[in-house]
Amino acid sequence: MKGKNVVVGVTGGIAAYKAAELVRLLVKAGAQTRVAMTAHATKFVTPLTFEVLSENRVVWDMWDGQESPMSHITMSQEADLIIIAPATANFIGKIAHGIADDFLSTSIVAATGKMLVCPSMNSRMLSNPAVQENITLLRKRGYTVMAPQEGELACGERGVGRLPEPEQILEQARILLSEHDLSGMKVLVTAGATVEPIDPVRYITNRSSGKMGYALARAAALRGAEVMLVSGPTSLNPPRNVKVFRVKTAAEMRDAVLGHHAECDVVIKAAAVLDYKPRRQSKTKIKKLEEIQSLELVRNPDILAELGRRRSGKRSLLVGFAAETHDLMSNAREKLRKKNLDMIIANDVSREDAGFESDTNAVKIIHRDGRVEELPLMTKEDLADRILDRVKKLWKETA
Ligand code: PMT
């Protein structure tokens, strides 16, 4: 979202409080965010809340003398995206019929950028034919209208009408603002840890949270690629527009990857696959009294090495990660060579702010021709885009 101008239009519904979280998320994602409110919305949340969160002045009164007479034009012209959240039945009706009687509605009439409308209201209001026709009209004109969610409504009733969660609105905004520069590319990403059971209640695993792999899958999908994600167990929400295959053991991950890699142009293996598994898995819980003195382990298949061996003349890219605590570069170079990769992401996992579990990462990218690029500490989302930039360039070069 960096470098993007986003306007959040807040109208007068109880869900206006959720717009505060949306603004916080947009700012965190790097968007230049401005807020415009209707007068009714200011009865639910004060402009000051949005001013603090957006670090920008909030406009809600066209006549307060603080705004230039043309600011409704400039604000809407500069916006890459206008999000109306929440959008009330009244406001949807106004914009569907070109009514411009306050700052926000006037800005929308003047807008030329993308529009994202997030209705939120009582379910009977939502199903009213006039509201439904207005929503259809907006969709016909190219506005994206998010479907309201089902659940408990502010009036105490249950039904459809809830504002989607701010994270979902942010995800939709990302989709609308993305450039689709990877469209036509099929990408397979692996993420998270694998687990190997010892008995029905115990297992061995590692610290991978899946964040790095999920960030890669999400970024590739946002950029228009067709994405398959083979994921070990994780608490993360699946990214939108990504086909997710859930696996537990290394053998299951191998089956899923080998079953689909031939359909893909690019495979990125961010998963932390367990190299070993217990030789025997007890079918019943091992009792404390039996005291396990030692755990005999056997090797798991090396999925990436197998993909490297299977490479044919078909145009494809193979990208690996190397998680190391010492001798980072020499170990990573060795893996790149042995596994027959095009690129390896050397990840120093001894750092607190990089590697496992953290939201940030700092890596060195080693190319097949020996070139090394050192990337500074950044969010895993940003790093995913940087890795995909390299993948895109290499893909073009191999054409
Ligand atoms: O999930 P997070 O908490 O966000 O953490 C991210 C991460 C640290 C897991 C990620 O950035 C990372 O470094 N992933 C690779 C972890 C790893 O297993 O590295 P490795 O050096 O052991 O393996 C090298 C490569 O071979 C990896 O691409 C791995 O997926 C692959 N491999 C390894 C073993 C095996 N049996 N099969 C494999 O395919």
Side-chain angles (χ1 to χ4, degrees):
M1 304 286 281
K2 284 201 179 75
K4 299 290 182 191
N5 282 309
V6 178
V7 170
V8 178
V10 185
T11 73
I14 183 66
Y17 77 93
K18 283 194 185 174
E21 177 64 2
L22 173 63
V23 170
R24 194 188 69 78
L25 292 175
L26 284 163
V27 171
K28 193 172 164 216
Q32 186 56 246
T33 309
R34 293 210 60 183
V35 177
M37 302 174 77
T38 62
H40 290 158
T42 65
K43 304 282 177 208
F44 291 91
V45 183
T46 66
L48 182 64
T49 305
F50 292 110
E51 283 186 355
V52 172
L53 291 169
S54 69
E55 295 170 16
N56 270 314
R57 225 178 78 71
V58 169
V59 196
W60 64 277
D61 181 0
M62 256 180 134
W63 316 111
D64 67 0
Q66 298 214 40
E67 286 296 316
S68 95
M70 300 311 279
S71 56
H72 58 289
I73 306 286
T74 45
M75 187 194 259
S76 57
Q77 288 289 304
E78 284 164 9
D80 298 298
L81 175 69
I82 300 182
I83 306 174
I84 309 296
T88 59
N90 174 51
F91 197 77
I92 289 170
K94 284 208 301 195
I95 56 175
H97 295 279
I99 294 170
D101 65 353
D102 64 1
F103 183 84
L104 184 57
S105 54
T106 312
S107 300
I108 288 169
V109 171
T112 50
K114 293 182 174 153
M115 298 287 311
L116 174 58
V117 178
C118 309
S120 166
M121 64 199 76
N122 169 277
S123 51
R124 279 191 301 277
M125 291 171 76
L126 184 66
S127 60
N128 181 294
V131 175
Q132 283 301 313
E133 274 175 32
N134 287 336
I135 289 177
T136 307
L137 209 53
L138 292 180
R139 286 197 171 124
K140 267 194 205 149
R141 289 188 196 139
Y143 287 33
T144 301
V145 183
M146 283 186 87
Q149 296 193 329
E150 191 174 352
E152 196 173 324
L153 305 171
C155 54
E157 294 174 17
R158 282 192 74 80
V160 180
R162 280 170 65 90
L163 186 72
E165 291 308 315
E167 290 79 7
Q168 293 170 307
I169 301 175
L170 177 73
E171 191 76 354
Q172 186 61 56
R174 282 190 200 274
I175 291 171
L176 289 171
L177 290 172
S178 66
E179 277 159 25
H180 284 203
D181 57 340
L182 300 183
S183 79
M185 187 183 269
K186 288 189 177 181
V187 182
L188 189 151
V189 179
T190 68
T194 56
V195 297
E196 300 294 349
I198 299 169
D199 69 12
V201 296
R202 305 178 180 94
Y203 57 79
I204 50 174
T205 188
N206 61 53
R207 287 176 49 208
S208 172
S209 63
K211 285 180 186 172
M212 190 66 244
Y214 273 57
L216 279 158
R218 175 175 290 113
L222 285 171
R223 291 170 67 164
E226 196 180 312
V227 184
M228 293 187 204
L229 172 64
V230 179
S231 169
T234 159
S235 57
L236 302 174
N237 289 325
R240 285 182 62 172
N241 301 329
V242 168
K243 197 166 177 188
V244 184
F245 300 88
R246 296 196 183 278
V247 298
K248 289 196 175 105
T249 62
E252 287 171 11
M253 182 168 279
R254 176 181 175 275
D255 288 348
V257 171
L258 295 187
H260 293 285
H261 83 101
E263 306 156 41
C264 295
D265 304 310
V266 183
V267 176
I268 308 179
K269 285 218 75 251
V273 186
L274 250 68
D275 287 316
Y276 295 92
K277 66 176 180 181
R279 179 180 291 280
R280 270 175 293 277
Q281 287 151 37
S282 172
K283 287 205 167 54
T284 51
K285 183 181 169 191
I286 301 169
K287 289 287 170 208
K288 231 186 295 183
L289 291 175
E290 289 172 30
E291 262 189 52
I292 306 175
Q293 298 287 352
S294 62
L295 195 58
E296 202 183 338
L297 300 174
V298 290
R299 284 300 295 262
N300 260 328
D302 189 321
I303 308 163
L304 192 53
E306 204 167 336
L307 290 181
R309 280 195 299 276
R310 285 178 177 221
R311 292 187 84 166
S312 57
K314 181 180 171 273
R315 183 179 170 217
S316 65
L317 295 181
L318 209 47
V319 179
F321 273 73
E324 308 291 344
T325 52
H326 56 279
D327 300 331
L328 176 68
M329 295 306 278
S330 56
N331 285 337
R333 279 199 185 96
E334 181 72 354
K335 285 176 185 171
L336 173 94
R337 193 184 58 77
K338 272 195 171 161
K339 300 190 189 205
N340 192 15
L341 311 178
D342 297 289
M343 206 191 286
I344 195 156
I345 317 301
N347 207 164
D348 177 356
V349 292
S350 63
R351 288 174 60 156
E352 273 295 304
D353 54 1
F356 293 111
E357 296 166 309
S358 58
D359 290 331
T360 50
N361 211 350
V363 301
K364 293 188 175 74
I365 300 182
I366 310 176
H367 297 263
R368 199 185 175 91
D369 61 12
R371 266 179 312 122
V372 177
E373 291 178 79
E374 182 165 357
L375 300 184
L377 187 73
M378 62 182 83
T379 64
K380 285 183 175 168
E381 280 73 26
D382 284 346
L383 176 60
D385 271 322
R386 304 286 279 271
I387 293 169
L388 291 171
D389 289 343
R390 273 53 174 189
V391 165
K392 182 177 118 183
K393 188 163 178 282
L394 199 55
W395 184 245
K396 276 195 185 147
E397 285 167 10
T398 59

